[in-house]
């Protein structure tokens, strides 16, 4: 694969995404710490946040991997079709 065809995110976008994630997670945990309730309820909320974050990362990775696998399958199929057409025209 030619590296010039690979679309990469800008460094500004990568910084924004990482900063937004860190800030949102930090503020959520800070809000739970300051929540006027028992420690076991705070622990339950933190555990729930961690499960949501983990499953979100897993979902995003799985969807990306599935998309890239389909692109590869389509490229292989296109190459086969192109080869067949070339053989047919020769």
């Amino acid at each position: 694969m030619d590296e010039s065809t690979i679309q990469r995110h800008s460094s500004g976008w990568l910084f924004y995404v990482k900063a937004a994630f860190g800030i949102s997670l930090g503020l959520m945990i800070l809000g739970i710490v300051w929540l006027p309730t028992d420690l076991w309820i705070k622990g339950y909320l933190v555990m729930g946040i961690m499960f949501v974050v983990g499953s979100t990362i897993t979902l995003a990775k799985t969807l990306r991997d599935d998309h890239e696998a389909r692109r590869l399958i389509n490229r292989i199929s296109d190459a086969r079709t192109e080869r067949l057409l070339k053989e047919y025209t020769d």
Side-chain angles (χ1 to χ4, degrees), residues 2-79:
D2 183 18
E3 286 189 34
S4 65
T5 61
I6 298 174
Q7 292 181 341
R8 298 189 52 96
H9 294 293
S10 69
S11 59
W13 176 251
L14 290 173
F15 172 78
Y16 170 76
V17 169
K18 290 174 184 178
F21 176 78
I23 291 169
S24 66
L25 185 61
L27 289 176
M28 189 67 186
I29 290 174
L30 190 63
I32 290 173
V33 168
W34 285 348
L35 194 65
T37 187
D38 294 333
L39 188 59
W40 72 270
I41 294 174
K42 292 178 184 182
Y44 179 79
L45 292 173
V46 169
M47 189 173 61
I49 288 171
M50 293 305 149
F51 276 118
V52 168
V53 168
S55 63
T56 301
I57 291 169
T58 303
L59 175 63
K61 183 188 178 318
T62 302
L63 292 175
R64 184 198 67 210
D65 291 349
D66 185 54
H67 172 72
E68 290 187 5
R70 285 188 197 158
R71 281 182 46 198
L72 179 61
I73 290 169
N74 287 340
R75 292 171 99 202
I76 292 169
S77 177
D78 290 346

